Amino acid sequence: MTETNPPPYVVVGATSPIARAYAADCAAAGKPLLLVGRDLAELELIAADLRVRHRAQVAVERYDASLPGEGRRLARTLAVRPPAAVVAFHGIMGGRDEFAAMLQVNCASIAELFESVADQAAQDGGEPVLVAVSSVAGDRGRQSNYPYGASKAALDAYLSGLRNRLHPLGLRVVTVKPGFVRTKLTEGKVNPRSPLLAEPAQVAADIRRAIEGSADVVYTRWFWRPIMAIIRAIPESVFKRLKL
Ligand SMILES: NC(=O)c1ccc[n+]([C@@H]2O[C@H](COP(=O)([O-])OP(=O)(O)OC[C@H]3O[C@@H](n4cnc5c(N)ncnc54)[C@H](OP(=O)(O)O)[C@@H]3O)[C@@H](O)[C@H]2O)c1
């Protein structure tokens, strides 16, 4: 790969406000982008905006995380131009009836994609950083959103194992754990004036720093790390009585 043809940053679930902010950061830094998602028309709009604003090199690719097999197909597409990083932002939040769908979109789809990208990297010598956006909700199941939390906990365990497997090969895996972020996922659920509510651009900046640095697991904003340490430390006999 030459200086004039640097490897792209792959942004999966690129219509998410956090992903948009991350893509804008990358474009401003002159990094080529591949925006991936299921709404091709919206992706084209985002790409056009980034090309005009930042003269960025931006391509788009359709991908539906609810369909098994899509991760392997996407990985084959990526093999043509091995990426610098694959950042999975996609996710859904539902209730007890949507548990299977959440396990597929929030965990299984990412596992399928990352396994295929890692296998490809082992063949072509690429060194993509594999990054997935999980959630603090995966740290402990709460009555208000435990099916979503369980799907993110499954993702956390998966990423931890993948990191362990890929470390000897020199490949990095980064787990990103946001708390509350101002997006449609939190609309009507979190007080818009809450000091705990982060802006998508703040979370995107934390993700960029994590990819450039050496972090394995990143809480964003940073204060969620101590908050969740306290939540995890509450004994189950007490926790089961709390209204959380
Ligand atoms: N907002 C928060 O407070 C918060 C906190 C912790 C973690 N997170 C995580 O952050 C990530 C981004 O969420 P967000 O808050 O920005 O929510 P969002 O605006 O709802 O974004 C979700 C993204 O996932 C994509 N997506 C959903 N189902 C998909 C599928 N079957 N195939 C491909 N893409 C699919 C959506 O694409 P469409 O545009 O096509 O729907 C969208 O790009 C998620 O993983 C979420 O769990 C968010």
Side-chain angles (χ1 to χ4, degrees):
M1 200 63 66
T2 64
E3 284 270 311
T4 50
N5 189 20
Y9 284 68
V10 180
V11 179
V12 188
T15 55
S16 139
I18 310 169
R20 286 175 195 235
Y22 175 73
D25 260 17
C26 287
K31 293 169 180 163
L33 285 161
L34 176 64
L35 305 182
V36 178
R38 59 184 172 175
D39 186 344
L40 212 51
E42 187 63 21
L43 293 181
E44 291 287 7
L45 287 176
I46 299 168
D49 181 63
L50 293 174
R51 287 182 200 119
V52 171
R53 268 182 216 275
H54 303 290
R55 295 172 178 272
Q57 206 187 97
V58 192
V60 302
E61 178 71 31
R62 191 195 300 274
Y63 165 78
D64 186 341
S66 68
L67 304 176
E70 280 279 275
R72 282 189 292 278
R73 185 190 59 75
L74 178 59
R76 282 196 296 275
T77 306
L78 301 185
V80 174
R81 196 177 165 199
V86 180
V87 192
F89 287 90
H90 61 285
I92 52 174
M93 182 157 69
R96 289 180 290 163
D97 294 341
E98 287 117 328
F99 190 45
M102 284 188 286
L103 278 176
Q104 167 59 29
V105 173
N106 296 350
C107 182
S109 73
I110 295 171
E112 186 192 308
L113 175 62
F114 283 7
E115 292 298 321
S116 305
V117 172
D119 287 350
Q120 191 59 47
Q123 278 179 34
D124 62 26
E127 292 187 345
V129 183
L130 303 176
V131 186
V133 178
S134 180
S135 171
V136 295
D139 280 17
R140 193 148 193 190
R142 294 176 291 124
Q143 60 178 294
S144 54
N145 73 346
Y146 64 90
Y148 170 75
S151 70
K152 293 294 194 179
L155 174 62
D156 291 347
Y158 167 73
L159 294 171
S160 174
L162 183 69
R163 177 179 303 117
N164 189 207
R165 178 170 85 76
L166 297 182
H167 179 69
L169 307 178
L171 293 184
R172 276 184 69 213
V173 175
V174 182
T175 307
V176 179
K177 295 175 81 75
F180 302 136
V181 191
R182 198 185 303 278
T183 72
K184 67 172 186 265
L185 219 69
T186 48
E187 224 171 64
K189 297 191 184 92
V190 180
N191 179 346
R193 283 198 283 271
S194 166
L196 296 179
L197 192 62
E199 298 302 328
Q202 292 177 302
V203 173
D206 283 344
I207 294 173
R208 176 174 44 77
R209 278 190 288 271
I211 293 173
E212 289 167 359
S214 58
D216 295 316
V217 180
V218 183
Y219 283 81
T220 170
R221 304 293 287 147
W222 63 269
F223 46 76
W224 285 99
R225 188 182 286 276
I227 291 175
M228 296 316 296
I230 293 167
I231 299 273
R232 282 196 311 272
I234 300 171
E236 197 64 23
S237 56
V238 176
F239 196 77
K240 70 182 180 190
R241 295 169 209 282
L242 301 179
K243 290 254 180 305
L244 290 170

